[in-house]
Amino acid sequence: MQNHANFMKEERQAMLLATLQREGKLLASEWSERLNVSEDTVRRDLRELARQQKLQRVHGGALPRSKPMAAYTARQRHEPAAKNAIGQAAATLVQDGQLIFIDGGTTTLQLASHLPEELHATVVTNGPAVAVALAMHPFVEVIVLGGKLYKLAQVTVGAAALNEMKNFHADVCFVGLCSIHPQVGLSVEDFEEAHIKRAMIASSAEVAGLVIAEHLGTALQYVVAPTKALTYLITDGTAEDAGLEAYRALGVTVIKAKT
Amino acid sequence: MQNHANFMKEERQAMLLATLQREGKLLASEWSERLNVSEDTVRRDLRELARQQKLQRVHGGALPRSKPMAAYTARQRHEPAAKNAIGQAAATLVQDGQLIFIDGGTTTLQLASHLPEELHATVVTNGPAVAVALAMHPFVEVIVLGGKLYKLAQVTVGAAALNEMKNFHADVCFVGLCSIHPQVGLSVEDFEEAHIKRAMIASSAEVAGLVIAEHLGTALQYVVAPTKALTYLITDGTAEDAGLEAYRALGVTVIKAKT
DNA sequence: ATAAAGTTTGCGTGATTCTGCATGTTTGTT
DNA sequence: AACAAACATGCAGAATCACGCAAACTTTAT
């Protein structure tokens, strides 16, 4: 039994580095106990990290080598096929230096996790989940819109969020669409949510609508905007070209993400 | 019979990534059992995801692959038992019908998940992670404060959040304390964060400070408030009573959560 | 419908990695 | 100088791993 209730090698090393950064020093003997491994193993970890210049080895333990000794690695996330593909396609529309709106919702959450790792941009969102996902992005600045939380869609709504939105003008705005119909336009099932989306669209230069194919051609209670308000319509590969023609005719650039 | 009661490849991989993001760690052996597949299959999944840069493969399993995320999970990993106990103790202070502030941060996140299920109250928070945790609570109303996201602590900061806060007056305010010292008071390591906490405290009738024992008696760069601004100080069972006397002398009600 | 081509999975094999222990050396202290 | 703690090194057992192959299954072509 090597590890079962215990930590893995890289995990241990990450913890060692973290405490070094936090506390400025580290005793090998103490950590062999705390990590449930022999002192030899701790020593081996420290030797290895020292060879990588990540810390300074001393008799009895280790000292930090530099302050900004942040860990390694980049980013991640998961993929229900269609939404994943849509998110990926949408991510390509974002450019360095832009300010973008990202609506809350499950589809746009995929977009958040697919933003290029090297992207330098500002993201304004009304979805706490989007904010959490972007918290691990190395460069993008995240601004959360405040307000009452509408739990079903996990978005903030209400007058407060609406007001804040007016302080921004986005280059691109990504809206998750519960429903879109060529003639009816975009529509949702909650009154407050409709308001938020409308405000987002109003203060953006370009608008991208993200929608899974099965919601194409449907309509709900509250209309947000006419179809021609969209600059882009991004859907997945299972959408039929025939149905998409109606949107193209209205001047919308339709993007079919290949699944 | 390839899959019957079992999962498909992409489904599995999505689950692996999701738990990695949620728990910060993943054992191959454990998940081969949980997913009803051989360890080889799990290994193949992990290898594939690693090639896509979605995670960091290590001996025995996998780790997440993001800088800010790693920093945040490092915080979560720090003394989880103590934070959990503190969260539980803090939850008992909340009463039906109250309006409460919950600060962002890893300790207060525990509080959010321990709020009684039958509680009817309004929670105002500057931590998206707290909001996400509370989204599944049946009754509490959640209001998110907007603003720039300070990624290390996952809290929103800045003038916007500050302004919004003024619209509320809370019965109780739960603040995570990076650092507290009887004479110096509460202090943190980020300027903006200090402002937010100060504003929270200013517009609350009672203030509860949540702090793990090892941070008692320490100080950081930016002072938030004097110790006597606290109504309650909630810490874990490992705190020494001798050290707590100083806080009691200043009129603070000290609560020691049993670990 | 049937055949062919391609996936995905589980298992066997041998290679690799990790850990703890034993041994002997270095370091710091008295 | 003497001693103990910390250390490096080599080794063995165990866990983990990569690779190849065959079976079960899916998709595509006929």
Side-chain angles (χ1 to χ4, degrees):
Chain A
M1 219 192 279
Q2 202 176 51
N3 357 285
H4 246 272
N6 296 340
F7 296 104
M8 298 179 285
K9 187 186 155 204
E10 281 77 5
E11 215 178 356
R12 280 195 319 261
Q13 300 189 349
M15 289 170 95
L16 293 175
L17 288 176
T19 40
L20 258 190
Q21 199 167 0
R22 189 172 54 243
E23 299 174 15
K25 81 170 186 189
L26 178 161
L27 294 181
S29 53
E30 180 192 333
W31 278 88
S32 86
E33 270 194 41
R34 204 181 297 197
L35 294 170
N36 267 317
V37 293
S38 74
E39 294 198 19
D40 285 80
T41 302
V42 176
R43 274 198 280 273
R44 262 188 279 249
D45 284 340
L46 293 179
R47 220 186 307 167
E48 208 168 305
L49 291 169
R51 200 160 9 229
Q52 291 166 35
Q53 309 281 312
K54 306 239 174 182
L55 53 74
Q56 194 198 336
R57 191 75 172 83
V58 297
H59 210 91
L63 296 173
R65 177 163 282 284
S66 68
K67 274 140 267 174
M69 221 260 56
Y72 18 110
T73 65
R75 58 187 306 249
Q76 44 129 12
R77 194 54 195 183
H78 73 311
E79 48 159 332
K83 290 180 177 179
N84 182 37
I86 294 173
Q88 220 156 354
T92 62
L93 293 179
V94 186
Q95 316 241 320
D96 262 25
Q98 286 190 326
L99 186 148
I100 65 175
F101 282 155
I102 299 186
D103 184 28
T106 53
T107 311
T108 50
L109 184 55
Q110 292 295 323
L111 161 61
S113 23
H114 281 104
L115 286 181
E117 191 170 329
E118 330 73 39
L119 180 71
H120 288 65
T122 304
V123 174
V124 180
T125 181
N126 62 334
V130 172
V132 171
L134 285 176
M136 65 181 169
H137 191 288
F139 302 121
V140 297
E141 175 139 345
V142 182
I143 292 173
V144 182
L145 294 173
K148 184 168 169 301
L149 187 71
Y150 173 47
K151 291 180 183 174
L152 179 60
Q154 287 211 5
V155 293
T156 55
V157 297
L162 228 61
N163 266 327
E164 278 187 79
M165 187 114 46
K166 289 179 184 142
N167 298 324
F168 302 99
H169 187 85
D171 296 294
V172 197
C173 154
F174 295 91
V175 190
L177 303 179
C178 310
S179 202
I180 183 168
H181 185 282
Q183 270 70 57
V184 178
L186 332 183
S187 55
V188 297
E189 58 185 338
D190 183 77
F191 181 69
E192 293 282 351
E193 202 185 347
H195 270 288
I196 284 284
K197 282 192 207 286
R198 203 175 298 139
M200 271 198 174
I201 291 173
S203 44
S204 302
E206 295 191 322
V207 179
L210 280 56
V211 61
I212 54 178
E214 70 182 271
H215 287 159
L216 285 169
T218 65
L220 288 166
Q221 295 96 316
Y222 302 98
V223 177
V224 175
T227 300
K228 66 176 173 7
L230 291 181
T231 317
Y232 305 100
L233 178 65
I234 308 174
T235 188
D236 59 280
T238 66
E240 289 171 26
D241 281 304
L244 297 176
E245 257 332 298
Y247 302 97
R248 290 207 181 88
L250 287 162
V252 180
T253 306
V254 178
I255 300 175
K256 238 173 87 172
K258 49 185 171 300
T259 318
Chain B
M1 214 195 293
Q2 201 175 47
N3 340 294
H4 231 253
N6 297 340
F7 297 103
M8 298 177 281
K9 189 184 160 204
E10 281 136 30
E11 214 171 345
R12 280 196 320 260
Q13 299 191 350
M15 290 170 92
L16 293 176
L17 287 176
T19 43
L20 211 44
Q21 174 157 5
R22 192 174 54 248
E23 301 177 14
K25 151 185 196 176
L26 182 160
L27 294 182
S29 52
E30 181 191 330
W31 278 87
S32 85
E33 272 192 38
R34 204 180 297 197
L35 294 171
N36 266 317
V37 293
S38 74
E39 295 201 15
D40 281 79
T41 303
V42 176
R43 273 197 281 273
R44 263 187 278 248
D45 283 340
L46 293 179
R47 226 185 307 170
E48 206 168 306
L49 291 169
R51 206 165 5 234
Q52 292 166 35
Q53 308 276 304
K54 306 239 178 171
L55 52 75
Q56 188 199 352
R57 188 73 171 87
V58 300
H59 206 92
L63 295 173
R65 194 172 199 305
S66 106
K67 269 174 260 198
M69 196 60 193
Y72 187 73
T73 45
R75 284 196 166 197
Q76 275 187 320
R77 292 279 185 73
H78 192 228
E79 304 279 349
K83 289 178 180 176
N84 189 28
I86 293 173
Q88 222 155 352
T92 63
L93 294 179
V94 187
Q95 317 239 321
D96 261 25
Q98 287 190 324
L99 186 148
I100 66 175
F101 282 156
I102 298 185
D103 185 27
T106 53
T107 311
T108 50
L109 184 55
Q110 291 297 321
L111 161 61
S113 39
H114 281 107
L115 285 181
E117 194 152 324
E118 329 73 38
L119 180 72
H120 289 65
T122 303
V123 173
V124 180
T125 182
N126 64 334
V130 173
V132 171
L134 286 176
M136 65 179 81
H137 192 288
F139 303 122
V140 299
E141 176 137 343
V142 182
I143 292 173
V144 182
L145 294 173
K148 186 170 167 301
L149 188 71
Y150 173 46
K151 290 179 185 174
L152 178 58
Q154 288 211 5
V155 294
T156 54
V157 297
L162 227 61
N163 266 327
E164 279 186 77
M165 188 115 42
K166 287 179 187 146
N167 299 324
F168 302 99
H169 187 83
D171 297 294
V172 198
C173 152
F174 295 91
V175 191
L177 303 179
C178 309
S179 203
I180 183 167
H181 186 283
Q183 272 69 58
V184 179
L186 334 183
S187 54
V188 297
E189 60 184 338
D190 183 75
F191 181 70
E192 294 282 351
E193 203 185 348
H195 270 289
I196 285 284
K197 284 191 206 286
R198 202 175 300 141
M200 270 199 175
I201 291 172
S203 43
S204 301
E206 296 191 320
V207 179
L210 280 57
V211 61
I212 54 179
E214 74 179 87
H215 287 161
L216 285 168
T218 64
L220 288 167
Q221 295 97 315
Y222 302 97
V223 177
V224 174
T227 300
K228 66 176 172 4
L230 289 181
T231 317
Y232 305 101
L233 177 65
I234 308 173
T235 187
D236 59 281
T238 66
E240 291 171 24
D241 281 304
L244 297 176
E245 256 335 296
Y247 301 98
R248 289 207 180 90
L250 287 162
V252 180
T253 304
V254 178
I255 299 174
K256 241 174 85 172
K258 46 185 174 298
T259 317

